[in-house]
Amino acid sequence: MFGIEWLQPETLISSFGIYALIGVCAIVFIETGLLVGFFLPGDSLLFVTGLMISTGDVVFPLGNEMAPVPIWFACAAISISAWLGDQTGYWIGRKSGPAIFNKTDSKFFSQKNVDSTNSFFERYGAKAIILAHFVPVMRTFVPVAAGIGQMNYRKFLKYNFYGVVGWGTGVTLLGYYLGKIPFVAEHVEYFTIGFVVLSTIPIVMEIVKTRRQHKTEALIR
């Protein structure tokens, strides 16, 4: 396919074997709850998980046999994992404060991500908590930004619930129902690549917009 081999969705899911769903949920939690998880393939991972469930390739032990994972159970588990991750990110931001976003660049941290997050948060306000789940990198940093900004926790919970259900359930179901189409099932790699490309468009647009704003501000000064 493309990219780093072990980060490819199918490779990740297959590597977990009968614990595939647990592995997927762990990745979702890390991506949404820990700052180091921004590089993980959240969207494509959920999409491919849905595809593989539709073809019966994601199973779990049931007695002495292997049973296919029900799609409703997978959607619930993924959404709960994303919710727990977001709560973790929020409270990391709430307890640690602005110092988190003032770190110097490193292998797992970039000020460009911080600038993009701040721009995204200012543009969409509370709705950013929902929208961020559908934008790579943003879903990692926005919950932390909400905590740093001392967003009302009840308000965060409300928007966060809509976000995790829409993303965790919606993207997984999209893959599941598309996977039932023979042509899609036979060309999983191509559809995965297409989905990855589509999911990166919003973050690219946001980065470009942020850079233009910075250039405009610099010229005004």
Side-chain angles (χ1 to χ4, degrees):
M1 201 168 155
F2 66 97
I4 303 174
E5 178 66 26
W6 66 271
L7 277 179
Q8 294 179 11
E10 290 177 272
T11 301
L12 281 171
I13 296 170
S14 299
S15 68
F16 291 116
I18 62 174
Y19 303 106
L21 183 58
I22 295 176
V24 169
C25 289
I27 292 173
V28 168
F29 174 80
I30 293 171
E31 185 187 12
T32 56
L34 305 178
L35 289 173
V36 297
F38 68 89
F39 63 90
L40 293 170
D43 293 320
S44 56
L45 182 68
L46 300 193
F47 183 74
V48 174
T49 297
L51 278 172
M52 294 180 70
I53 288 176
S54 72
T55 57
D57 292 327
V58 180
V59 298
F60 69 102
L62 184 63
N64 296 322
E65 300 180 353
M66 292 293 127
V69 172
I71 185 61
W72 67 266
F73 184 79
C75 289
I78 290 170
S79 296
I80 291 172
S81 298
W83 185 84
L84 290 173
D86 285 346
Q87 306 315 301
T88 301
Y90 175 88
W91 286 107
I92 286 176
R94 187 98 179 208
K95 298 297 183 181
S96 301
I100 294 177
F101 278 4
N102 290 329
K103 295 173 61 179
T104 57
D105 284 355
S106 66
K107 185 176 181 180
F108 295 107
F109 190 86
S110 171
Q111 279 298 322
K112 290 182 180 179
N113 291 335
V114 174
D115 293 338
S116 297
T117 299
N118 290 332
S119 174
F120 189 86
F121 205 68
E122 290 175 3
R123 181 179 180 184
Y124 295 107
K127 292 181 180 179
I129 304 301
I130 299 175
L131 299 174
H133 290 86
F134 299 90
V135 184
V137 180
M138 293 298 104
R139 60 175 159 265
T140 300
F141 289 96
V142 165
V144 181
I148 291 174
Q150 302 286 305
M151 173 182 279
N152 179 275
Y153 187 55
R154 288 188 176 181
K155 188 174 185 180
F156 175 79
L157 284 175
K158 174 184 175 182
Y159 285 96
N160 182 233
F161 174 79
Y162 297 144
V164 297
V165 172
W167 179 65
T169 297
V171 176
T172 306
L173 283 177
L174 179 63
Y176 178 77
Y177 285 112
L178 284 178
K180 289 184 174 296
I181 301 174
F183 180 77
V184 176
E186 293 170 4
H187 301 84
V188 172
E189 288 192 356
Y190 297 108
F191 279 88
T192 302
I193 292 174
F195 191 82
V196 171
V197 172
L198 288 174
S199 67
T200 57
I201 290 176
I203 188 60
V204 171
M205 293 177 62
E206 198 62 39
I207 291 174
V208 171
K209 181 180 178 181
T210 300
R211 288 182 176 178
R212 286 180 178 175
Q213 288 178 339
H214 287 169
K215 289 182 179 179
T216 301
E217 292 173 359
L219 290 174
I220 293 176
R221 292 174 185 175

